[in-house]
């Protein structure tokens, strides 16, 4: 029971790493005009509908928000697997779908980080906040305040994307090029596996993103 979820997570990482090999930054940027407003609009509308249903059932505002957010996002892995089976990943519709999912994943990273900080306002257990005596930039980046949590999370996401662009474009190709020149197929496969799992784990530990998103950007 403990091993099965870990093996499933490895499968998800390898799937997302494989899908990411078919994409470039230009592919994702080419669909931003549809994916960005579409994903954000879907999250807002679905969350509001979920909150309305929760309110009708007598739930608290916080519970309704969490319920709405859960309804507003699709499973990246499930949808990508379906696109792969129908050979739609590299089509225009497939690129739009992948870009849409990436925006949803990034939005959920922000949401999951902010929910504990906002729990007191949403009717849950209030998280301890820092004092209001600090001012200026120090108060803004204080991790004990809502604005500080948001600022730190955004900085982490920007750092994550920046590192992935640097590592993905420079370091990983250099490593694979060096390994390929050894002439060992087994070593090359092992290197790919180590990169996929290593970057996914490092992204989750250092930047707080999911294993799947880290593997995709790698």
């Amino acid at each position: 029971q403990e091993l099965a979820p870990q093996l499933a997570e490895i499968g998800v990482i390898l799937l997302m790493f494989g899908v990411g090999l078919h994409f470039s930054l230009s592919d994702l940027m080419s669909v931003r005009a549809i994916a960005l407003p579409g994903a954000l609009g879907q999250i807002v509308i679905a969350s509001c509908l979920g909150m309305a249903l929760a309110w009708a059932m007598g739930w608290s505002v916080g519970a309704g928000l969490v319920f709405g957010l859960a309804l507003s996002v699709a499973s990246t892995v499930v949808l990508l697997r379906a696109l792969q089976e129908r050979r739609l990943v590299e089509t225009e519709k497939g690129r739009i779908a992948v870009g849409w999912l990436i925006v949803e994943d990034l939005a959920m990273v922000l949401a999951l980080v902010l929910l504990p900080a906002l729990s007191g306002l949403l009717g849950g257990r209030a998280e301890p906040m820092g004092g209001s005596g600090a001012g200026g930039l120090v108060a803004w980046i204080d991790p004990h305040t809502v604005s500080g949590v948001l600022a730190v999370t955004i900085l982490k996401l920007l750092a994550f994307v920046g590192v992935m662009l640097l590592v993905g474009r420079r370091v990983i190709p250099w490593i694979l090029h060096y390994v390929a020149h050894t002439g060992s197929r087994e070593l090359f496969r092992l290197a790919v596996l180590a990169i996929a799992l290593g970057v996914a784990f490092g992204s989750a530990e250092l930047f707080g993103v999911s294993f799947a998103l880290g593997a995709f950007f790698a």
Side-chain angles (χ1 to χ4, degrees):
Q1 292 178 352
E2 295 180 1
L3 182 60
Q6 297 175 13
L7 293 176
E9 195 71 61
I10 292 175
V12 168
I13 291 172
L14 295 179
L15 172 64
M16 294 297 293
F17 185 80
V19 171
L21 292 176
H22 297 284
F23 284 86
S24 65
L25 183 62
S26 59
D27 291 331
L28 295 176
M29 294 301 291
S30 66
V31 299
R32 67 184 185 277
I34 300 176
L36 185 59
L40 295 178
Q42 174 195 335
I43 291 174
V44 172
I45 294 173
S47 297
C48 290
L49 291 175
M51 291 180 67
L53 178 59
W55 176 78
M57 294 188 296
W59 293 11
S60 66
V61 175
L65 178 59
V66 173
F67 178 62
L69 288 173
L71 293 177
S72 68
V73 293
S75 171
T76 303
V77 176
V78 172
L79 184 53
L80 284 177
R81 185 62 182 172
L83 291 173
Q84 275 190 326
E85 291 176 352
R86 293 162 177 79
R87 298 181 180 179
L88 296 174
V89 174
E90 298 185 46
T91 65
E92 182 180 5
K93 293 180 180 179
R95 289 195 296 270
I96 292 174
V98 172
W100 195 297
L101 292 168
I102 295 301
V103 174
E104 285 187 350
D105 285 345
L106 294 175
M108 284 305 105
V109 171
L110 288 172
L112 291 175
V113 170
L114 287 176
L115 279 175
L118 297 174
S119 60
L121 299 175
L122 298 175
R125 178 178 60 84
E127 290 292 318
M129 291 292 175
S132 56
L137 181 62
V138 175
W140 174 251
I141 62 175
D142 185 354
H144 298 293
T145 64
V146 174
S147 61
V149 171
L150 179 60
V152 170
T153 303
I154 292 176
L155 288 175
K156 281 186 176 182
L157 288 176
L158 292 176
F160 163 70
V161 174
V163 169
M164 287 299 99
L165 291 178
L166 176 63
V167 173
R169 287 182 172 179
R170 304 291 182 182
V171 179
I172 292 179
W174 177 80
I175 293 175
L176 293 180
H177 179 77
Y178 178 80
V179 173
H181 273 69
T182 64
S184 172
R185 291 180 177 270
E186 291 79 9
L187 183 59
F188 187 81
R189 293 192 184 102
L190 182 61
V192 172
L193 183 63
I195 289 172
L197 297 177
V199 172
F201 179 77
S203 300
E205 289 294 315
L206 296 177
F207 304 108
V209 301
S210 65
F211 290 118
L213 191 60
F216 175 83
F217 270 87

